[in-house]
Amino acid sequence: MRTIAAVRGFPPAVRLLLVNQLGVNIGFYLLIPYLATHLTDDLGLSAALVGLVLGLRNLSQQGLFLIGGSAADRLGARGVIIAGCGLRTLGFALFALGDALPVLIAASVLSGLAGALFNPAVRTYVAQEAGDRKAEAFALFNVFATAGALIGPLLGSLLLLGGFRAAALTAAGVFALLTLAQAVVLPARAVPPPAGTVLGDWREVAGNRRFVAFAAAMVGMYGMESQLYLLLPHAARQATGWAGAVGLIFVVGTLANLLLQLRLTRRLAARGGGRGRWIAAGLTVSGLGFVPPMLVGAGPGTHPLLLLPVLAGALLLYLGLMAAQPFVMELIPAFGRAELTGTFYGLFYAVSGVAAAGTGAGVGWAMDAATHGGPAWLPYACCTALGLASAAAVTMLHSRRALPHPPAPASDGPVSSAPEDPGPPADKASAAPETRPWSETR
């Protein structure tokens, strides 16, 4: 009930985008987790070709986030969101209707490009509409996204009983409905004429040393989050000898998110002390979440009870992410001009994508080393060290007053927009936008 009341307190556009994120994740997870199996078992593609198709989707999404963010700034977030959902509809329909490799590659690239467009655009729109309640809005965003990520695979597993095409066409239909709903209901925002060039915008954002330092400090968050799909599932299977144990990790995370996300964000925001403090605390908790499964990974044998330390570690990881992520999303647009909100999100997600890929490769190497006689604790220790290092970096930025300080929202509604001192600028090029009060960067 508290979540429903919080949703009603936001403008209709934000409410629509929350439901939109629920639908986006339902449609995405309805199909993507089963795509590799379809390509190998149904179509008979080699592992190399499957890797090509899946890799192109990731590359086209992560590599084009900056373009999607700039498009949201210059063309308006609404149009970019609609275009992204439309492209995702086309991409998933191609997966359903085409078996030839060129068609599959086109479907993969279109699906990735769609994500590169609407991911920064949606967050730009939410940041612009939520005002001083950005952290709470992004907390609800996480709740709806997590619910969609749970419903999607369950629905997909049922639809796969009728074949992959049934699942893919349903996923395409979900995105088609979202595209239509956004085109009909989502209000358009006035977009001021751009003052310079796209390259000039990119140079301004990339030259904002405080923002770049923050993005670099946050690589640990997305690096650790990516281990929900690699290291922790491996630990669950290793502890129990049962592949189905992996699903319990996501059940724990979903329940924690649905029950605690909004309450946790409100509680931390009300306590004050600066956003950097809670982001660093969240990163620390997430990093320590790899300690319990480390004990399982270093031990011999399997037993159902050995799953408990893995689930405890997963819960800590989720709680840390729940503490940090809404405040991270809240701070990003506060580093510079409101007209470049999408570009800031785009660059941040591009850096995060590289961080997740690099962490995955490094942890994968450590896991391979463990299977060949190396220390079993090594991949978990690497993740813990990554989380603590990121927490230390954010703490340093916070102590040096290099982070914006938005006002803390009240626990049950809108708050005063009286700004705190955002700290001194790091360089002359970004001095003007970075010293503006938080209330002017909406």
Side-chain angles (χ1 to χ4, degrees):
M1 295 299 294
R2 185 175 297 182
T3 299
I4 295 174
V7 172
R8 288 176 177 170
F10 283 98
V14 174
R15 298 201 298 266
L16 174 63
L17 291 177
L18 293 175
V19 176
N20 174 81
Q21 191 60 29
L22 173 71
V24 164
N25 275 19
I26 289 175
F28 181 84
Y29 287 102
L30 187 157
L31 178 69
I32 294 300
Y34 309 104
L35 180 58
T37 301
H38 168 67
L39 296 176
T40 54
D41 295 351
D42 298 339
L43 302 185
L45 297 185
S46 67
L49 290 178
V50 172
L52 173 66
V53 173
L54 299 180
L56 285 174
R57 193 200 69 79
N58 288 330
L59 179 63
S60 59
Q61 178 164 312
Q62 295 173 1
L64 298 176
F65 272 134
L66 190 55
I67 292 176
S70 291
D73 288 335
R74 291 177 166 264
L75 305 177
R78 176 182 179 272
V80 178
I81 293 170
I82 294 171
C85 280
L87 286 177
R88 182 63 62 81
T89 302
L90 179 58
F92 280 8
L94 286 177
F95 276 128
L97 303 176
D99 294 342
L101 183 60
V103 177
L104 295 173
I105 289 176
S108 187
V109 171
L110 287 174
S111 299
L113 175 59
L117 290 177
F118 64 64
N119 277 339
V122 165
R123 286 153 180 83
T124 298
Y125 203 118
V126 171
Q128 291 169 340
E129 289 287 332
D132 293 332
R133 300 176 67 194
K134 289 180 178 64
E136 188 175 332
F138 283 115
L140 290 170
F141 198 83
N142 284 351
V143 171
F144 278 78
T146 301
L150 176 65
I151 296 171
L154 297 176
L155 181 59
S157 63
L158 294 176
L159 290 170
L160 283 173
L161 297 175
F164 179 82
R165 279 187 171 82
L169 287 174
T170 302
V174 169
F175 278 97
L177 290 175
L178 292 175
T179 305
L180 179 62
Q182 292 155 3
V184 172
V185 181
L186 193 63
R189 291 177 58 93
V191 182
T197 64
V198 173
L199 290 179
D201 292 347
W202 292 358
R203 282 195 295 268
E204 180 176 338
V205 173
N208 186 321
R209 284 183 274 178
R210 290 198 302 158
F211 171 71
V212 171
F214 178 67
M218 292 309 303
V219 298
M221 185 174 77
Y222 288 96
M224 290 186 294
E225 185 180 28
S226 68
Q227 298 314 304
L228 288 168
Y229 308 97
L230 178 62
L231 183 57
L232 290 182
H234 167 76
R237 290 190 297 266
Q238 186 181 45
T240 63
W242 175 44
V246 174
L248 296 177
I249 293 175
F250 298 99
V251 171
V252 166
T254 300
L255 292 176
N257 198 288
L258 295 177
L259 295 174
L260 301 175
Q261 175 68 84
L262 182 60
R263 184 178 302 176
L264 178 63
T265 300
R266 283 178 164 177
R267 186 71 59 85
L268 296 180
R271 293 188 65 177
R275 300 312 198 227
R277 174 186 177 186
W278 303 121
I279 293 171
L283 292 170
T284 300
V285 171
S286 290
L288 294 177
F290 291 92
V291 174
M294 183 193 307
L295 304 177
V296 175
T302 62
H303 192 277
L305 291 179
L306 293 178
L307 181 62
L308 295 179
V310 179
L311 296 181
L315 179 59
L316 288 174
L317 174 57
Y318 274 110
L319 288 174
L321 295 174
M322 289 159 54
Q325 280 181 340
F327 297 130
V328 172
M329 293 295 103
E330 181 188 33
L331 284 185
I332 289 171
F335 278 97
R337 293 190 289 125
E339 295 82 3
L340 295 182
T341 295
T343 306
F344 276 100
Y345 278 119
L347 181 58
F348 184 84
Y349 272 104
V351 172
S352 301
V354 173
T359 302
V363 171
W365 172 85
M367 291 169 64
D368 288 339
T371 60
H372 292 89
W377 50 262
L378 181 59
Y380 304 95
C382 289
C383 291
T384 297
L386 178 64
L388 296 181
S390 281
V394 173
T395 299
M396 181 180 68
L397 292 175
H398 175 67
S399 65
R400 294 184 176 182
R401 301 172 61 83
L403 300 179
H405 290 265
S411 59
D412 293 309
V415 297
S416 167
S417 59
E420 299 179 30
D421 181 9
D427 54 79
K428 294 180 181 179
S430 58
E434 289 184 341
T435 56
R436 295 196 309 162
W438 172 260
S439 57
E440 296 179 10
T441 63
R442 289 187 263 166

